[in-house]
Amino acid sequence: MRRSTPTAGLALAVLAAVTITLTGQPATAVAPVTAAPVAALAAPDISVTNLQAHLTQFNSIATSNGGNRRAGSPGYTASVSYLRTRLQAAGYTVTEQVCTSCVYRSNNLIAEWPGGPADQVVMFGAHLDGVSAGPGINDNATGSASLLENALVLAQQNPTMTKRVRFAWWTDEEQGLNGSEFYVNSLTAAQRGQIKGYYNFDMVGSTNGGYFINRITSTTAAPLKAYWDSLNLQPEENVEGQGRSDDYPFQQAGIPTSGYAAGASARKTSTQAGKWGGTAGAAYDPCYHRSCDTTANVSATHLNRSADGIAYAIWQLAVGTGTPTNDFSVSVSPTTGSVAPGASTTATVGTATTSGSAQTVALAATGVPSGVTVSFSPSSVTSGGSATMTVNASATAAAGTFTITVTGTGSVTRTAAYSLTVTGTGGCSGGQRIGNSSFESGTAPWTASSGVITNSASQPARTGSYKAWLDGYGSTRTDTLSQSVTVPAGCSTYTLAFHLHIDTAETTTGTAYDKLTVQLGTTTLATYSNLNAASGYVLRSFNVAAVAGQTVTLKFTGTEDSSLQTSFVIDDVTLQAG
């Protein structure tokens, strides 16, 4: 939760108006979401052990990245990656939204479960960032972990849905609710109208905490209050948090809101201590915005009751009756591939349970051209799992482009298309395979972060006028440069080479603060850092015969920390086959 400001509590007064102005456009207040009179399916119990495991991961991420997870920092980026990996594997549609107006440019993470009508959305959010003073576990890994585990349980149970459930993890909350405000401002009036309720969870594990609900008497709050009432917790209005967390931008936009909190720096009263336990006169969270906000600074009881209340609200608001029909989807990544006669290439076949329960899916391929064989390892998977598809082209395979249909067969049949190009007539079609290798011909076929391919005189090119300049800002930054490369089969040598100049203002002789990672396909070839700084360009070369006959992506990723610039300047990139 962000620190209180003199005007934060006053801003709620504008909510009394039915029409609210947002970015110059009137937004009519949305009717609150209401729960069905009777829940057809019982809400699941959320495992506190799993919640604590997520908190341990967030604490480890902070420890490995300078001790914090502040927005825009490596710790925040790693936190986003942890969530994204888990959610995508569970079958969520996951998007990252770059907050360009944030104090620390970084990403919101949005995950949507595909069930339910798209125009009837119930949204659950928590800020993912912390302050720079510590790892930010109660504030707010507890809210983030509670949403993550609820999302994973929803995917695992996969019930029929009467509403669409959308989860969000916000950046830059600690600097002024910037991530959530950016998201709300990016919505059209129609999109805002689709959100029938927004629920916020900020600091739900305070060790001397209470049981607080935002807008406790509202219709939107009813399922949250009903669950805590069932435990006889006697919750109170979240007075301390008014205007200080990510529900506020939604309120301003006329979207009904509520949420749970266990309290921050305000002090517990004697009446509250009498009914909830704990210490009267002491802060709800004694480590609020401090370095001691670690996994030791969390009440498992408060955390568990909050996460279970979230599950109850999801099931009350968005889960329907009956048993869903078992179904699944099939996808291929990448969707295209190239192979030379006598060589092979691979792709990943992914499956996801889209309704009902997981089932066994047998994999097969049709439309395979003469001289080409396709195999799967394993040949069948449980929906939600993946397999490696291997495409082998014989020496006599005919050149051309063909559409292969990958079929998954279970209780139903689902398909995905894969475009295969068989190149040449066999043998070594050698030569230089990198396009625009010296960056003198615009940007294509490179894909690069803004400003990376440049003719700026501040860092001269090795040859010509242009080069790729990653980082060099002296602030938290990630730049990328990549190109898809088709590597021929049948050659004797394969050499990737580039010239690299590293210039740095870092003074350390032992710590790699800023890094450049070089990847070819799934293999990391090298990592350089400020410790490798030197005058002029240095030739770097690698034997890449392992990717012969494949289409792979060459990628350079430069990451820079919050101070003292390091520039990674690349020129004359070649991949020579011969």
Side-chain angles (χ1 to χ4, degrees):
M1 183 166 72
R2 70 165 180 166
R3 192 176 299 279
S4 178
T5 62
T7 59
L10 300 177
L12 291 179
V14 300
L15 294 178
V18 174
T19 301
I20 299 168
T21 299
L22 176 67
T23 63
Q25 297 295 326
T28 302
V30 180
V33 64
T34 56
V38 178
L41 298 176
D45 176 62
I46 303 301
S47 166
V48 70
T49 300
N50 291 351
L51 294 168
Q52 290 169 324
H54 296 315
L55 298 185
T56 298
Q57 287 293 327
F58 286 126
N59 202 87
S60 297
I61 286 169
T63 300
S64 301
N65 290 279
N68 68 77
R69 300 182 306 104
R70 192 212 70 202
S73 70
Y76 181 81
T77 301
S79 298
V80 171
S81 179
Y82 175 67
L83 290 172
R84 182 182 64 246
T85 300
R86 299 295 304 273
L87 292 162
Q88 286 178 331
Y92 279 83
T93 301
V94 181
T95 57
E96 291 188 44
Q97 180 191 49
V98 181
C99 180
T100 56
S101 62
C102 283
V103 174
Y104 299 111
R105 184 184 173 106
S106 46
N107 295 358
N108 293 322
L109 185 74
I110 314 297
E112 189 157 305
W113 186 241
D119 62 347
Q120 299 286 318
V121 177
V122 187
M123 196 164 181
F124 297 81
H127 74 88
L128 182 59
D129 66 315
V131 295
S132 58
I137 300 306
N138 186 41
D139 186 15
N140 184 38
T142 54
S144 296
S146 296
L147 293 192
L148 173 59
E149 189 60 24
N150 264 281
L152 298 179
V153 170
L154 178 64
Q156 181 183 44
Q157 297 213 359
N158 193 25
T160 43
M161 305 298 293
T162 59
K163 289 185 173 63
R164 185 69 58 93
V165 175
R166 182 181 301 161
F167 295 95
W169 289 265
W170 308 117
T171 188
D172 219 43
E173 188 267 1
E174 297 291 1
Q175 279 65 52
L177 318 182
N178 297 315
S180 54
E181 182 178 52
F182 183 85
Y183 173 83
V184 171
N185 287 347
S186 73
L187 299 174
T188 64
Q191 289 169 334
R192 292 196 297 273
Q194 292 170 358
I195 302 173
K196 306 306 178 184
Y198 172 78
Y199 294 85
N200 195 66
F201 304 94
D202 190 352
M203 302 180 65
V204 294
S206 305
T207 54
N208 192 40
Y211 295 94
F212 301 107
I213 298 178
N214 304 344
R215 302 175 64 246
I216 192 170
T217 60
S218 67
T219 303
T220 311
L224 297 182
K225 185 175 184 297
Y227 183 76
W228 274 0
D229 283 348
S230 73
L231 303 178
N232 194 31
L233 296 177
Q234 304 173 60
E236 298 179 3
E237 176 64 42
N238 182 17
V239 176
E240 180 188 20
Q242 289 181 3
R244 293 177 57 188
S245 196
D246 293 299
D247 53 324
Y248 185 64
F250 288 85
Q251 291 176 10
Q252 291 286 73
I255 296 170
T257 63
S258 188
Y260 281 151
S265 60
R267 297 181 181 276
K268 179 174 281 187
T269 68
S270 57
T271 301
Q272 292 170 339
K275 66 177 179 177
W276 295 329
T279 305
Y284 300 120
D285 179 0
C287 290
Y288 176 62
H289 285 188
R290 297 172 59 194
S291 61
C292 58
D293 188 12
T294 66
T295 51
N297 185 48
V298 173
S299 163
T301 299
H302 279 81
L303 178 66
N304 191 34
R305 288 170 172 172
S306 296
D308 286 342
I310 294 170
Y312 181 83
I314 292 171
W315 254 250
Q316 285 286 309
L317 297 169
V319 172
T321 61
T323 303
T325 302
N326 295 340
D327 203 350
F328 63 91
S329 63
V330 174
S331 62
V332 183
S333 179
T335 57
T336 62
S338 179
V339 63
S344 65
T345 189
T346 61
T348 299
V349 178
T351 64
T353 303
T354 56
S355 68
S357 302
Q359 59 186 288
T360 300
V361 177
L363 301 173
T366 57
V368 180
S370 176
V372 174
T373 60
V374 177
S375 60
F376 300 91
S377 179
S379 59
S380 64
V381 298
T382 300
S383 56
S386 62
T388 299
M389 180 177 74
T390 301
V391 180
N392 283 290
S394 69
T396 59
T401 298
F402 310 90
T403 299
I404 295 174
T405 300
V406 177
T407 301
T409 303
S411 59
V412 294
T413 299
R414 297 289 179 254
T415 62
Y418 177 75
S419 179
L420 174 69
T421 298
V422 180
T423 61
T425 56
C428 172
S429 55
Q432 209 288 94
R433 313 301 293 187
I434 300 293
N436 191 17
S437 65
S438 296
F439 308 103
E440 301 296 326
S441 304
T443 57
W446 294 100
T447 299
S449 300
S450 176
V452 163
I453 297 177
T454 176
N455 63 350
S456 168
S458 298
Q459 290 287 351
R462 176 179 176 270
T463 58
S465 301
Y466 285 82
K467 70 281 174 182
W469 180 0
L470 287 79
D471 298 332
Y473 290 84
S475 60
T476 302
R477 179 85 178 188
T478 298
D479 281 335
T480 60
L481 172 74
S482 63
Q483 181 178 145
S484 178
V485 186
T486 298
V487 184
C491 299
S492 299
T493 60
Y494 298 86
T495 303
L496 170 69
F498 56 91
H499 290 79
L500 173 64
H501 169 55
I502 302 176
D503 172 82
T504 188
E506 299 282 3
T507 58
T508 179
T509 59
T511 303
Y513 289 113
D514 311 314
K515 298 179 182 180
L516 176 73
T517 302
V518 185
Q519 296 172 287
L520 187 63
T522 59
T523 301
T524 298
L525 299 177
T527 299
Y528 305 99
S529 74
N530 50 282
L531 300 179
N532 302 114
S535 60
Y537 284 85
V538 177
L539 175 64
R540 310 289 185 174
S541 62
F542 306 88
N543 179 355
V544 294
V547 297
Q550 300 180 35
T551 297
V552 292
T553 297
L554 171 64
K555 184 175 183 180
F556 300 88
T557 303
T559 57
E560 191 172 20
D561 74 352
S562 59
S563 64
L564 299 177
Q565 73 86 23
T566 299
S567 298
F568 301 100
V569 190
I570 300 166
D571 206 355
D572 301 323
V573 184
T574 60
L575 199 163
Q576 193 76 34

